[in-house]
Amino acid sequence: MDGAIMQRVQVWKDGKYDDAAKQEIARLERENPVELADAFYRNLEFGTGGLRGIMGIGTNRINKYTVGMATQGFANYLIQTYPGGIIRVAIAHDSRNNSRQFAEITANVMAANGIKVFLFEALRPTPELSFAIRHLGCQGGVVCTASHNPKEYNGYKAYWNDGGQLVPPHDKNVIKEVEKIDSVDEVKWSGGEANITIVGKEVDAAYIDMVKSLSVYPEVITRQRDLKIVYTPIHGTGITMVPEVLQRFGFANVHVVEEQSKPDGNFPTVVYPNPEESEAMSIGLKKAKELDADILLGTDPDADRVGIAIKDKQGNWMLMNGNQTAVLAFNYIIEARKAKGIAQKNDFVVKTIVTTDMIDRIAADNNVKCYNVLTGFKWIAELIKEKEASENYIVGGEESYGLMIGNKLRDKDAVSAVALLCEMAAYEKDKGRSLYEKLIDLYVQYGYYKEHLISITKKGMNGQREIADMMDGYRNNPPVTINGSPVVHLLDYELRKGKNLQTGSEWDITLPISNVLQFILADGSKISARPSGTEPKIKFYFSVNTTIKSAAEFDSIQVHGELDKRIQGIISDMGLK
């Protein structure tokens, strides 16, 4: 075993670590030295979003020691930033194994540093933590979750005083403070228990009231209260809020998927507890078919992502992708506010640069500003903070199944999204239609946009280098054509430059630096290349579109085939197969 790894292992064997950790080290030394090396070969990176990793002993794992050290670094930065004042922090957790323990450790360390802590009494959705930070006047927050990752994972997301995840300069500054913590001996593990307040029902009530206030057509729900809804929390925190919120909205015919209703960090019925995966929605889909439901909805373990399924005109169920759900939600909020007379001249919406441009068209057609930000809801939150004095945020979202409706919190919120998506279904049903038919009408009006995503992993020690070389090639020698269509614009978010490849003209991109490239083709296609910052993985997002004259034309195989062929042609021409 490498000497540096052995040294890290020895620190744990000799240091103030519990007997269980030392016994596990001894077992791995005997039985699985490869796993032991992986557990100690590096320090688990505290990135701009916090920690995420496999649970277990070691410096490269999520455990009470890595959580405690990260919390000490975060606490140190809070104390530096708010000297002499009372600092408040809210803490929540999801249904994963050990999440409660990690949340309590986080609370104890914060409290031992003299920080006033509001710790949720039990598991709660991540969006409620974002809301609580603002509601309780906190300077920061933490939620222990690994979102939709497999059961072996857990994590730690850090938030700032606006209820959004850390953004510059705070993200890098917190990272620096966390990296300064070299030993568990530097962590204040206990001694401030009096600073901890357990919260629950009062925050729940305020959060539910906030979500209820987002309803635009309560009178429609009254007429369609029997809308048949099937909901699955996929063993996560959604069960604590979603059924009650739907009941408060006025829906009286809600069916929870029993097999997935109990919070369980082992996620026994799924491989990945992610509503983006058809496998995770399959049990709910079966129940929806049995009941002939109107809509199926599923949320991930920390209830910040939502997936839905609806029926087409033949009654066949289809799982919507995140772009389709976002199109329906954005359009509904914009249209409903206009129809109700509550739209404001300074309303604006936000989406990420890899989310469908169909939303830009809908916003423009309704004279609503649409801003594009980098991938991640922290950038949506940051833009709201920048604009809130002069403009009115109404909805934001991204293609990866995230929506944030209204400005009372600063992270994606599947709880309010479920309620509003059900209201949308009720609104269409009240007119004798379906959400599917509404989506097709929007395609006729704005163009049929189709998106596709592929993720490529380059294995081995050279994986990161191969991906870096790939990006350098695109950046320095951009293709002149892709799939027969001229490349008109190259957008380089790392250099923060846009360039018209046909005229040579350039312009500045004002977004923060990010290693993303986008190619805009003459035929309206868009390709985005986005490497992971921590894994040897790169994602390619493809968006193509065409015009259709009628709903009947949408039903033709030819239209779908044309766009599928275009996407596959782009993939083939770029050598991504």
Side-chain angles (χ1 to χ4, degrees):
M1 192 182 295
D2 180 88
I5 298 174
M6 291 176 67
Q7 190 174 355
R8 283 198 181 96
V9 172
Q10 197 62 44
V11 167
W12 277 54
K13 291 167 75 171
D14 296 339
K16 294 178 182 177
Y17 296 85
D18 62 31
D19 289 341
K22 293 179 180 181
Q23 288 168 11
E24 178 63 5
I25 289 171
R27 185 189 71 79
L28 290 174
E29 284 179 322
R30 292 191 311 269
E31 300 176 10
N32 198 337
V34 173
E35 184 179 336
L36 181 66
D38 188 67
F40 281 93
Y41 85 93
R42 65 168 188 163
N43 291 329
L44 186 67
E45 182 181 357
F46 192 99
T48 54
L51 293 170
R52 186 173 295 186
I54 295 170
M55 290 179 280
I57 58 103
T59 58
N60 187 36
R61 296 287 186 263
I62 291 282
N63 51 63
K64 63 184 181 181
Y65 301 107
T66 52
V67 166
M69 292 169 75
T71 303
Q72 184 63 56
F74 190 15
N76 289 350
Y77 182 66
L78 285 165
I79 292 165
Q80 289 173 22
T81 308
Y82 299 101
I86 297 173
I87 302 172
R88 299 177 178 85
V89 167
I91 299 170
H93 67 88
D94 70 1
S95 60
R96 287 178 178 273
N97 297 330
N98 301 312
S99 281
R100 181 66 192 180
Q101 179 196 15
F102 296 152
E104 289 177 350
I105 288 167
T106 303
N108 286 333
V109 174
M110 288 285 188
N113 280 275
I115 293 170
K116 184 168 178 53
V117 174
F118 298 97
L119 173 64
F120 275 95
E121 62 187 2
L123 73 168
R124 289 295 191 282
T126 287
E128 188 174 357
L129 183 276
S130 176
F131 173 82
I133 291 168
R134 300 173 65 82
H135 179 71
L136 298 170
C138 295
Q139 283 67 50
V142 172
V143 60
C144 295
T145 177
S147 191
H148 55 283
N149 278 67
K151 64 183 180 181
E152 295 83 10
Y153 285 76
N154 214 318
Y156 177 107
K157 287 202 281 193
Y159 290 76
W160 202 242
N161 59 12
D162 65 333
Q165 291 185 56
L166 300 179
V167 294
H170 305 301
D171 54 356
K172 299 288 172 40
N173 291 341
V174 170
I175 289 169
K176 287 177 185 174
E177 291 302 318
V178 171
E179 289 175 345
K180 287 178 186 176
I181 308 299
D182 292 325
S183 166
V184 292
D185 297 338
E186 298 174 53
V187 180
K188 296 177 182 177
W189 293 100
S190 61
E193 288 75 16
N195 290 324
I196 300 174
T197 301
I198 302 297
V199 296
K201 290 183 171 49
E202 180 270 328
V203 179
D204 293 345
Y207 174 72
I208 291 170
D209 286 345
M210 180 277 293
V211 176
K212 180 69 170 67
S213 74
L214 300 174
S215 176
V216 189
Y217 284 106
E219 68 277 15
V220 169
I221 296 174
T222 300
R223 293 194 294 270
Q224 297 295 335
R225 63 193 304 270
D226 287 329
L227 184 84
K228 201 175 290 183
I229 300 164
V230 173
Y231 166 67
T232 173
I234 315 181
H235 306 291
T237 59
I239 194 65
T240 65
M241 285 286 131
V242 171
E244 185 173 353
V245 163
L246 289 173
Q247 184 264 324
R248 285 284 301 276
F249 260 60
F251 293 109
N253 195 4
V254 179
H255 303 264
V256 176
V257 176
E258 188 63 33
E259 300 94 320
Q260 297 177 325
S261 64
K262 184 179 178 182
D264 187 337
N266 292 315
F267 309 116
T269 65
V270 297
V271 177
Y272 297 102
N274 183 357
E276 294 181 74
E277 302 284 343
S278 58
E279 181 263 346
M281 297 287 279
S282 61
I283 297 176
L285 203 54
K286 182 182 176 186
K287 188 175 185 73
K289 289 176 182 176
E290 288 172 357
L291 295 173
D292 191 27
D294 293 297
I295 188 170
L296 163 69
L297 309 103
T299 55
D300 65 343
D302 66 328
D304 63 355
R305 296 182 181 217
V306 60
I308 71 169
I310 57 177
K311 289 181 286 191
D312 65 17
K313 286 187 287 188
Q314 286 73 44
N316 301 311
W317 282 90
M318 58 176 283
L319 290 164
M320 308 285 280
N321 64 44
N323 283 302
Q324 292 170 319
T325 303
V327 161
L328 286 169
F330 275 65
N331 183 78
Y332 177 77
I333 298 297
I334 292 170
E335 280 192 350
R337 287 175 63 81
K338 282 178 67 176
K340 280 279 188 165
I342 58 175
Q344 299 178 24
K345 287 183 179 179
N346 62 348
D347 282 349
F348 74 94
V349 301
V350 194
K351 68 179 208 41
T352 65
I353 58 174
V354 295
T355 300
T356 180
D357 291 339
M358 185 174 171
I359 289 171
D360 299 77
R361 291 200 59 185
I362 292 169
D365 193 56
N366 287 278
N367 297 312
V368 173
K369 277 188 182 176
C370 179
Y371 292 99
N372 282 264
V373 297
L374 297 177
T375 304
F377 265 75
K378 66 180 182 180
W379 300 115
I380 296 178
E382 180 73 353
L383 186 75
I384 295 171
K385 185 161 57 174
E386 178 189 323
K387 302 286 183 185
E388 61 188 347
S390 58
E391 298 181 42
N392 182 50
Y393 169 85
I394 55 173
V395 64
E398 62 183 6
E399 45 72 42
S400 57
Y401 291 59
L403 292 166
M404 186 172 82
I405 303 161
N407 62 5
K408 301 298 184 187
L409 76 170
R410 293 291 188 273
D411 207 351
K412 53 185 177 285
D413 181 1
V415 179
S416 59
V418 165
L420 266 294
L421 288 163
C422 289
E423 180 173 304
M424 289 156 54
Y427 180 78
E428 295 303 328
K429 191 171 184 180
D430 202 50
K431 296 194 294 184
R433 294 157 39 85
S434 69
L435 279 178
Y436 177 84
E437 289 171 295
K438 178 63 178 179
L439 180 64
I440 307 314
D441 284 351
L442 293 174
Y443 286 149
V444 173
Q445 186 173 358
Y446 297 108
Y448 176 28
Y449 283 71
K450 192 163 194 176
E451 285 78 28
H452 184 64
L453 167 68
I454 63 172
S455 183
I456 297 172
T457 299
K458 297 287 188 180
K459 295 182 179 179
M461 295 175 64
N462 296 321
Q464 291 279 25
R465 182 70 259 162
E466 287 179 48
I467 288 172
D469 290 343
M470 188 185 296
M471 290 296 286
D472 287 344
Y474 289 139
R475 185 168 276 123
N476 300 323
N477 298 290
V480 177
T481 65
I482 297 177
N483 193 35
S485 181
V487 179
V488 179
H489 293 148
L490 171 65
L491 306 179
D492 190 330
Y493 293 87
E494 184 164 86
L495 299 179
R496 300 175 81 192
K497 288 287 183 184
K499 185 174 183 177
N500 186 316
L501 298 183
Q502 298 180 329
T503 66
S505 62
E506 293 188 355
W507 60 93
D508 292 331
I509 293 173
T510 57
L511 298 179
I513 293 173
S514 182
N515 188 16
V516 178
L517 289 171
Q518 289 187 314
F519 304 98
I520 314 298
L521 309 189
D523 66 3
S525 302
K526 182 168 81 172
I527 303 105
S528 307
R530 177 173 166 259
S532 167
T534 57
E535 301 173 273
K537 183 183 292 184
I538 183 169
K539 288 183 177 180
F540 288 88
Y541 304 77
F542 309 95
S543 178
V544 297
N545 63 85
T546 190
T547 57
I548 55 173
K549 297 184 178 66
S550 66
E553 188 178 349
F554 177 81
D555 291 335
S556 74
I557 297 173
Q558 184 178 350
V559 170
H560 301 285
E562 175 198 326
L563 293 186
D564 288 338
K565 184 178 178 182
R566 201 185 303 175
I567 290 171
Q568 292 307 314
I570 291 169
I571 292 170
S572 178
D573 195 26
M574 294 181 73
L576 301 176
K577 284 190 173 180

